[in-house]
Amino acid sequence: QKVRENLDRLLSDKVVAKSARAFGKTLQEMLDPKTSKEFVVSVFESRLIDKILPAIRHLVGYVQHDQYHRYTADVHIMQACLVLKDVYKNPKALGPLSVLHKSLTAEDWKILSWSALYHDLAKGLHSEDHSGLGVEILRRDFKKYGFAKSFTEEVAWMVKNHLELSIAAFRKNPKAKKTWEELETIGAKGARLRRLAIFTVMDICATNPEAWNEWKGRLLRDLVEAMNAPSTQNYFTLKSSLQKKKFKGLEDVLNDFDDFLLQSLSAPVLAED
C-alpha cells in the first residue's frame, strides 16, 4: 500500500522515460521461474507493474463477460506468470503433456515467461486481432529493453500464435491432415511446438483452473504426437517435394494418400513414383 501511494513520487514520468533497460531487468527477475510467486504478486498488487509496463494499465479491472474467464485481464496476466512457476517446479501440473517438461531448456523457459506477460496485453484495444497488436507492443518494448532480435522473434511468434494450438486441438480434428498443415504453415514445429503446447496449458489454467482437465490434456498431447510422428513429417517432405516438381492435382492426391504408404516408404521414393 505504501509503495502504491508513493509511486508517482518514487518513479516520475521523467525517471520512467530513462529507465527502460532497468525495467527490463526487473521484469526478467520477476518472471524468472526460480524466483518466488510472492515477488510477482507484490509487483502487481503494489501497481509497480503499471510504471514498468505501461501497456498493462488499460487492462486493470477489464472484465470479459463470459463464463470462461474467471479473472480480470490484468489478473489473468499475473496468474499466467504464477502458473509458469508452478509448472516449472511441478511437471505433473501439465497432465498428459508432462513428458515435454524435460525437453525444455533455460531459453525455452525465458521465452515462455515473457510470453506469459505479453500474450494478452492488447486485449480491449478495439482490435479483433489482439495477438497481432500485442506483437507490435512487444517489439516496441523489447527494443527499449535491448533484447536480441532472435529472442524478440521467438516471443513475438508465441504471442502471435498463442491461441492456435487450443483451436486446433479443441475445435478442429486433431487427426486431420488439414489441421496439421495449418500448424505447419505457421511454423508450429520443433521447439516452437513444444513451447506452444506448454503455454496452452498455462493459458487455460490462468484463465480458469477448472477449465483444464485430463481430456483436454490428452487432445493436446495427441495433436503434438501426431505433428511429430515420422509419417506426418514424411507427408510434409513429400508435399514439399511435389510442390517443387510443380505436380498437377497435388491437393487431390495428398488428400487421398494412404497413411500406410507414408509409414512404409520414404518421401523421395513416393515422390519419384
Side-chain angles (χ1 to χ4, degrees):
Q1 182 180 349
K2 287 296 183 182
V3 172
R4 192 173 353 181
E5 290 173 352
N6 292 280
L7 269 179
D8 290 335
R9 182 174 61 83
L10 295 169
L11 291 173
S12 65
D13 291 341
K14 186 176 181 180
V15 172
V16 169
K18 296 180 179 180
S19 305
R21 294 210 174 200
F23 290 163
K25 292 179 181 179
T26 299
L27 289 171
Q28 180 59 68
E29 185 180 357
M30 180 193 80
L31 292 170
D32 189 323
K34 297 178 183 177
T35 58
S36 70
K37 295 170 69 173
E38 288 76 16
F39 190 0
V40 176
V41 175
S42 295
V43 172
F44 274 80
E45 292 193 350
S46 68
R47 302 320 308 172
L48 176 60
I49 192 70
D50 297 346
K51 287 286 187 178
I52 61 180
L53 187 64
I56 202 172
R57 293 175 184 173
H58 75 281
L59 294 178
V60 178
Y62 180 79
V63 177
Q64 298 178 75
H65 297 280
D66 57 38
Q67 295 180 334
Y68 183 62
H69 291 82
R70 173 175 291 186
Y71 309 105
T72 57
D74 62 315
V75 175
H76 165 66
I77 291 177
M78 182 184 76
Q79 288 296 125
C81 297
L82 296 175
V83 170
L84 172 87
K85 296 177 187 292
D86 287 335
V87 168
Y88 178 79
K89 295 176 182 178
N90 180 23
K92 291 182 180 179
L94 295 170
L97 289 166
S98 60
V99 294
L100 299 178
H101 191 280
K102 61 183 179 182
S103 65
L104 297 178
T105 65
E107 184 71 3
D108 289 327
W109 286 110
K110 186 177 179 182
I111 292 169
L112 282 169
S113 66
W114 282 95
S115 300
L117 185 62
Y118 271 81
H119 74 286
D120 271 352
L121 277 188
K123 277 279 182 77
L125 289 178
H126 307 293
S127 172
E128 293 183 2
D129 182 20
H130 79 276
S131 299
L133 190 56
V135 170
E136 295 179 19
I137 297 172
L138 181 149
R139 292 187 192 281
R140 180 197 65 201
D141 287 358
F142 278 27
K143 185 176 181 180
K144 293 178 181 178
Y145 299 153
F147 289 168
K149 185 177 181 181
S150 58
F151 176 72
T152 299
E153 290 308 310
E154 289 306 317
V155 182
W157 186 89
M158 287 287 294
V159 171
K160 175 66 177 177
N161 299 291
H162 72 273
L163 296 173
E164 296 300 327
L165 205 61
S166 61
I167 292 173
F170 309 145
R171 301 182 189 179
K172 300 179 181 179
N173 182 359
K175 297 183 179 181
K177 291 187 178 73
K178 183 179 180 181
T179 303
W180 306 343
E181 287 181 335
E182 289 172 353
L183 292 173
E184 172 78 6
T185 299
I186 65 171
K189 54 187 176 182
R192 283 183 169 180
L193 178 61
R194 290 193 297 272
R195 289 195 294 263
L196 189 57
I198 299 296
F199 185 82
T200 300
V201 178
M202 289 168 45
D203 195 20
I204 293 173
C205 292
T207 301
N208 186 342
E210 294 179 1
W212 173 244
N213 52 48
E214 189 76 11
W215 171 71
K216 287 184 178 179
R218 288 197 301 271
L219 286 177
L220 278 170
R221 180 198 61 195
D222 292 347
L223 179 55
V224 172
E225 289 179 348
M227 289 292 294
N228 288 327
S231 59
T232 305
Q233 297 305 311
N234 206 26
Y235 170 79
F236 288 134
T237 303
L238 173 63
K239 182 178 180 179
S240 176
S241 179
L242 293 178
Q243 285 175 331
K244 291 178 181 178
K245 294 175 181 290
K246 297 182 179 180
F247 187 85
K248 295 181 179 180
L250 176 61
E251 295 301 324
D252 291 335
V253 170
L254 291 177
N255 286 337
D256 295 332
F257 219 84
D258 193 297
D259 288 342
F260 179 75
L261 288 176
L262 291 169
Q263 297 171 16
S264 306
L265 299 171
S266 67
V269 170
L270 291 171
E272 183 62 30
D273 188 69

